[in-house]
Structures are given as structure tokens and as C-alpha cells.
Amino acid sequence: MSTKMSKTKFILFCAALILTHVISMHDMVIYPIVNNLYEMFYENMAGVNFIISGPAIFMFFASLLAPYLMKFIDKKTLLVICCVIFAVFSIGGSAIVSVPYIIAARSICGFVYGIVQVVVIGIVADHFIDDNKRATFMGVYNAGMAAIGAVMSAVAGVLAVSGWRNAYYTYLISIPMLLLVIFFVPRIQSRLEAAQENTPAAAAGKSRFGAKFWIMLVNFFILCVAYTPMMMMTSVYIAENNLGNEALAGLAGSVGTIGSGVFCLLFGFVYSKLKARTSLISYAGMALGLLGMYFIKGPVIFLIICTVAGATYGFLYSYMFTQVTLLVAPEDANRAISYLTAIYAASIFLGPYVTTWIMGMVGNSITVASLIFGIVCAACLVLEYFNTTKMSAAG
């Protein structure tokens, strides 16, 4: 680590960073009430669609802006500001029952998410200098994301039974998140960046966003888009293949989240053994899962597929935010994280549109679309193999 702190403060510091997933998983509160929003604002379906997916656009631009903000505002201060803004506009997100207001509140939360993602990963990179320790924490950090997302979704669903606006009370958890960030996230940016300025890229043997970096990001974008059938369209696949009802769709989402959380806890150990080649596990798992959706049908096998896909997706997420800073010079780390976050945001927004476009070309079948995505992921696996071989050779 780059700073010394007591064991208790270190635990609370880690808890503060993990709890910022309240911001990254804020959509989980909206998903249980999507049907309520469509019923409430049936005359403005386009507006409701934007309520659901629009925040990803603002996350995209915010993530690109974040490195420039960090040149003028230290990471802790910027994180605190974002947590305050998020608390206000998430808790008050339904204060006015109006599509424009809800869109505005959701968009602000999405914008804040883009900044927070870059800042938090930057703080992790600042504190965990050793890549193995960083990988171990990233696994725990992303396991926390899965757990927090599952809890927020469950709580929002229960609260929404007595009124859809009550789901927003779930965001009250942003208050303890804010307090932990204020009291237990240290401010170290100025010292670290001063050290980074004296470490030229050539001395570290790093290129400034070379081909390996961009290939890794493009592959990640493709896989995230390909994950759409299992992340957002499970109910469509279930109905198309007569596998069950909404209960199975809900269970499929749960097992994917659980699989992601459990697998991420193993990430540090696996990464210490495989290093750059760790990503191959995710591309292989996603390709097999998507191909399995086409060739092997059944409720039980579908749950297994969702578990494996969710696990490998979360695994790759941990890998990317660990590996991305190792391919560039230290002074470029914040920008590298912002580019990765922007790619992730773009995949969330474009995934449903790409999927429905492919479905339109294959008879509106999500099953056939999954086959196509599976073949694409298999091709990405081959490309990733050669790219990670170059990473390993470069040390």
C-alpha cells in the first residue's frame, strides 16, 4: 500500500470504497418498478425508455471528463462532492411525479456514476501499488458490487409493493456511504502524482495507450454488448423457448449475480497465477454460455448458463480494472480508467439496441441472436489469446 493506516481504519476504508457501489448499482432500484413507470406514463413510452437507459449516456461523458476534473480537485474531495449530489438526487428522484424530472434526476445520478467509477478505481490504484494485492481487492470490491446490487434490488422490490415511489427509500443507504467516505478515505493524491511526474513512461517500459490497450478495450466492449441477452433479456428468451415464467427470469438474474460475487472472491488468487491470461476464462465462459443458449434448452441448464455467464462477466470486470493501469505509464492511469469506464457505459447503452437489431435480422429470435453473439465471443477469445500472449511477453 502507498499509505499506512491501522487495521480498523483500513477495513473501514475498504468498506467505504465498496459501499460506493450504491452509486454504480443505482439502476437496481429502478428495475423492479419499470412496469409501474410504463403504466404511469403510458403516453410517453420514449421518456420511460430514457429513464431506464439514458443515464448511461451521461456516465459515458462524465467518465471522460473525470481525469481532467482530478487535475484541479483531489480524488477524495471529488468523491465526497459526487456522493452528496448522488444522495440528493437519488433519494429525491421521485419527489415530482414527472417524466422530465425523473429523467433529470436519473441523468445526474448517471453523470455522477461516471465520475465516481474513475475516481474510486484511481484511489484503488493509488493505495494498492502491488498488482497482486490490487487484484485481490478488486475481486472483493466487485463481489461487494454484486451483493449490494442484489440487496438494493430486493429491498426496492419489497418497498415498491406499497407504492412504486417507496422504492426510492432504498437510496437512503447513500447517507452511511457518504459518512464513511468523509471519515475514512484519506487524501493522498498530491503526493502520489508528484511521484508519478518523476516517473517517465520510458523508464517504466510502458507505451502511451498502445495496441494491446485498445485491443483489450474493444474486446471488453464486444463481450459486454454480447452479455445483453443474459443481463437484460432473460424474460424474452424464457418466453421464446417456453421455459417458464417471470419467476424463472428473476431467479436467472439472482444466480448470475451470486455467481459473479462468488467468482470475484477468487479473482485475486487466479490472477496471481495467470496474470494477463486471466481474461481468457471470461471469454471462454461467455462464448460457451451464449452458444449453450442456442444448442441446449431447459430451465435448469439455463440457470447454470446464467450462473456461469454472470460469474465470468464479473470476473472480467475485475480483471479489466486491474490490468488497464498496468499497460500504461503511471501518469496515464486516470485516463486509462476513464476510457475503460466510458467503454463500459457505451456497452450498457448500446447493448439492447444492438441485440434488437440482430434479432430483427434473424426473425426476432433472441435464441438465434445468442448464437451469433456466442460465435463473436469465440472470435474475441482467439484475439484475446494473442493479445494477452503479447502482454505476458512484455512482462
Side-chain angles (χ1 to χ4, degrees):
M1 286 190 56
S2 60
T3 56
K4 294 182 179 180
M5 60 181 74
S6 67
K7 184 176 181 180
T8 300
K9 286 186 176 179
F10 174 70
I11 292 173
L12 291 170
F13 160 68
C14 292
L17 296 185
I18 292 172
L19 203 55
T20 60
H21 278 309
V22 169
I23 298 176
S24 60
M25 300 301 285
H26 71 279
D27 284 344
M28 301 304 290
V29 173
I30 301 301
Y31 290 155
I33 61 172
V34 166
N35 189 57
N36 301 84
L37 294 175
Y38 278 122
E39 291 180 352
M40 178 72 64
F41 305 112
Y42 62 89
E43 78 289 351
N44 191 356
M45 302 295 278
V48 175
N49 288 338
F50 198 84
I51 288 174
I52 298 169
S53 63
I57 298 176
F58 296 91
M59 175 189 170
F60 174 85
F61 290 108
S63 62
L64 296 177
L65 177 64
Y68 300 97
L69 292 177
M70 287 189 284
K71 291 182 178 180
F72 303 99
I73 308 174
D74 67 86
K75 291 184 180 73
K76 176 175 179 175
T77 300
L78 187 56
L79 182 58
V80 170
I81 292 171
C82 288
C83 288
V84 170
I85 294 173
F86 176 82
V88 171
F89 286 96
S90 61
I91 296 172
S94 63
I96 301 175
V97 183
S98 155
V99 169
Y101 174 81
I102 296 176
I103 286 177
R106 288 268 297 151
S107 298
I108 291 172
C109 289
F111 188 85
V112 166
Y113 173 21
I115 296 175
V116 167
Q117 180 76 2
V118 178
V119 171
V120 170
I121 301 300
I123 291 173
V124 171
D126 291 346
H127 282 266
F128 296 91
I129 303 301
D130 180 77
D131 60 332
N132 287 329
K133 292 181 179 179
R134 187 187 308 169
T136 298
F137 177 77
M138 285 305 302
V140 174
Y141 173 74
N142 288 318
M145 175 175 66
I148 288 172
V151 170
M152 289 178 68
S153 181
V155 171
V158 171
L159 293 176
V161 172
S162 55
W164 67 270
R165 296 173 70 185
N166 292 336
Y168 281 80
Y169 288 123
T170 307
Y171 291 125
L172 287 171
I173 195 176
S174 61
I175 295 175
M177 171 194 70
L178 172 61
L179 294 176
L180 282 174
V181 167
I182 290 174
F183 291 112
F184 298 107
V185 174
R187 184 178 285 108
I188 68 163
Q189 179 176 357
S190 59
R191 183 173 74 252
L192 179 67
E193 292 195 342
Q196 289 177 345
E197 289 175 358
N198 296 322
T199 306
K206 311 290 185 181
S207 61
R208 296 179 71 91
F209 307 105
K212 293 189 293 292
F213 175 85
W214 294 115
I215 290 172
M216 185 175 71
L217 258 62
V218 169
N219 267 1
F220 179 65
F221 172 79
I222 293 173
L223 183 136
C224 288
V225 171
Y227 186 53
T228 299
M230 280 181 272
M231 182 168 65
M232 299 181 183
M233 297 187 173
T234 53
S235 60
V236 178
Y237 177 83
I238 290 169
E240 183 176 301
N241 292 282
N242 297 313
L243 300 182
N245 53 25
E246 292 82 359
L248 181 61
L251 185 58
S254 297
V255 296
T257 301
I258 294 170
S260 175
V262 172
F263 215 47
C264 280
L265 292 176
L266 302 174
F267 175 73
F269 172 77
V270 176
Y271 182 83
S272 69
K273 303 298 182 182
L274 299 180
K275 295 296 184 179
R277 290 194 176 93
T278 303
S279 62
L280 299 179
I281 296 174
S282 294
Y283 287 95
M286 191 63 67
L288 290 173
L290 288 162
L291 292 173
M293 289 175 68
Y294 180 82
F295 291 106
I296 310 172
K297 300 180 181 67
V300 175
I301 193 64
F302 181 62
L303 291 177
I304 294 174
I305 286 172
C306 288
T307 303
V308 172
T312 54
Y313 179 74
F315 207 66
L316 184 63
Y317 191 86
S318 298
Y319 168 84
M320 291 297 296
F321 281 103
T322 299
Q323 189 72 11
V324 71
T325 57
L326 301 179
L327 295 179
V328 299
E331 60 267 27
D332 292 323
N334 290 334
R335 287 174 58 201
I337 295 167
S338 76
Y339 293 158
L340 175 57
T341 304
I343 285 290
Y344 176 66
S347 70
I348 292 175
F349 180 75
L350 294 175
Y353 297 99
V354 173
T355 302
T356 53
W357 175 67
I358 292 176
M359 289 173 61
M361 295 191 300
V362 293
N364 290 318
S365 172
I366 189 67
T367 307
V368 179
S370 299
L371 172 64
I372 294 173
F373 277 136
I375 294 172
V376 170
C377 283
C380 287
L381 172 62
V382 175
L383 180 59
E384 187 73 4
Y385 172 78
F386 289 108
N387 197 42
T388 54
T389 299
K390 292 180 181 179
M391 290 182 198
S392 300

